[in-house]
């Protein structure tokens, strides 16, 4: 998760950033955001060799397949500036491990560093939560890498509660992920403002 504390500089006019459903042509833009935010967020947490070998092109190809697959149960949303720059994204769908309580999952949320800490990440989460609720998923879960303190603070500020943990291996590095859950989506959907 690439959402975190704002690090300084000019504040972004929130009205100049809209949230919309992703389109197939967004795939390379989403992939670029993902690779960039992985490198800024996870440096020092995951092996540097893994971050260095991340490929925008390979991720874009996989994303394009998902965004054009009519049988996909994953929804992608992007944060876009007035000039058409994609600066963040979030995606979600059914919970992937058959959890007894949580039926929906926020799979990922990434936002370029200059746009963090200004409410855009919250709007992305709310958009996914609204989509999940409309699809009859009453709650949601997300996994966050242990050590990603800005991500953990973000989820806790949104009302998420730590409900689990599991090991994660990235290129031989023994890491850990925490699960944060929302048993109801009402709190997340309060004051929702989505540009359509």
């Amino acid at each position: 998760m690439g959402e975190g504390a704002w690090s300084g500089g000019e504040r972004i006019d929130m009205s100049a950033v809209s949230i919309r459903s992703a389109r197939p042509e967004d795939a390379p833009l989403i992939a670029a955001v993902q690779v960039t935010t992985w490198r800024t967020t996870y440096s020092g947490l995951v092996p540097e060799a893994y971050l260095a070998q991340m490929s925008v092109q390979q991720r874009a190809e996989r994303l394009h397949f998902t965004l054009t697959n009519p049988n996909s149960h994953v929804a992608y949303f992007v944060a876009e500036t007035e000039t058409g720059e994609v600066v963040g994204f979030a995606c979600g769908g059914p919970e992937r491990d058959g959890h007894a309580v949580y039926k929906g999952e926020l799979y990922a949320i990434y936002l370029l560093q200059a746009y963090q800490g200004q409410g855009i990440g919250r709007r992305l989460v709310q958009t996914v939560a609204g989509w999940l609720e409309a699809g009859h998923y009453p709650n949601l879960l997300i996994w966050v890498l242990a050590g990603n303190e800005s991500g953990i603070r973000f989820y806790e500020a949104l009302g998420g509660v730590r409900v689990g943990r599991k090991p994660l291996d990235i290129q031989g590095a023994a890491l850990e992920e925490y699960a944060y859950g929302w048993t109801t989506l009402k709190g997340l959907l309060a004051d929702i403002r989505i540009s359509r």
Side-chain angles (χ1 to χ4, degrees):
M1 189 316 214
E3 170 72 6
W6 181 56
S7 58
E10 284 190 42
R11 291 193 66 79
I12 307 301
D13 178 5
M14 289 254 305
S15 66
V17 177
S18 60
I19 310 299
R20 63 167 174 80
S21 294
R23 300 184 287 257
E25 60 267 27
D26 295 321
L29 307 174
I30 294 170
V33 167
Q34 186 175 20
V35 169
T36 299
T37 53
W38 263 74
R39 289 176 177 162
T40 56
T41 303
Y42 300 131
S43 179
L45 295 176
V46 304
E48 294 299 325
Y50 180 84
L51 297 176
Q53 60 84 37
M54 291 180 76
S55 165
V56 171
Q57 181 177 345
Q58 287 176 357
R59 288 175 187 274
E61 289 170 0
R62 288 195 298 266
L63 279 165
H64 190 270
F65 175 79
T66 300
L67 292 170
T68 56
N69 181 357
N71 298 316
S72 174
H73 298 291
V74 181
Y76 276 82
F77 300 92
V78 297
E80 181 181 55
T81 67
E82 286 181 316
T83 59
E85 180 187 5
V86 170
V87 298
F89 76 94
C91 62
E95 194 277 329
R96 294 172 284 189
D97 295 325
H99 197 282
V101 174
Y102 298 97
K103 304 306 175 190
E105 186 172 346
L106 178 65
Y107 299 148
I109 173 174
Y110 293 100
L111 192 59
L112 295 178
Q113 197 166 39
Y115 292 84
Q116 294 178 11
Q118 300 177 60
I120 301 166
R122 178 185 179 91
R123 289 168 57 204
L124 281 166
V125 171
Q126 288 177 316
T127 304
V128 173
W131 180 84
L132 288 169
E133 185 183 59
H136 307 291
Y137 298 100
N139 49 38
L140 73 83
L141 190 73
I142 186 166
W143 291 93
V144 59
L145 187 64
N148 179 4
E149 296 303 325
S150 64
I152 289 169
R153 285 192 301 272
F154 175 68
Y155 298 129
E156 290 177 348
L158 291 178
V161 176
R162 191 179 299 183
V163 294
R165 62 198 314 160
K166 67 180 178 182
L168 175 69
D169 181 281
I170 297 181
Q171 286 192 336
L175 306 173
E176 188 173 39
E177 288 184 299
Y178 300 139
Y180 277 81
W182 290 260
T183 55
T184 177
L185 300 180
K186 286 184 172 62
L188 276 177
L189 293 174
D191 303 320
I192 190 166
R193 294 178 300 278
I194 303 172
S195 301
R196 298 194 187 271

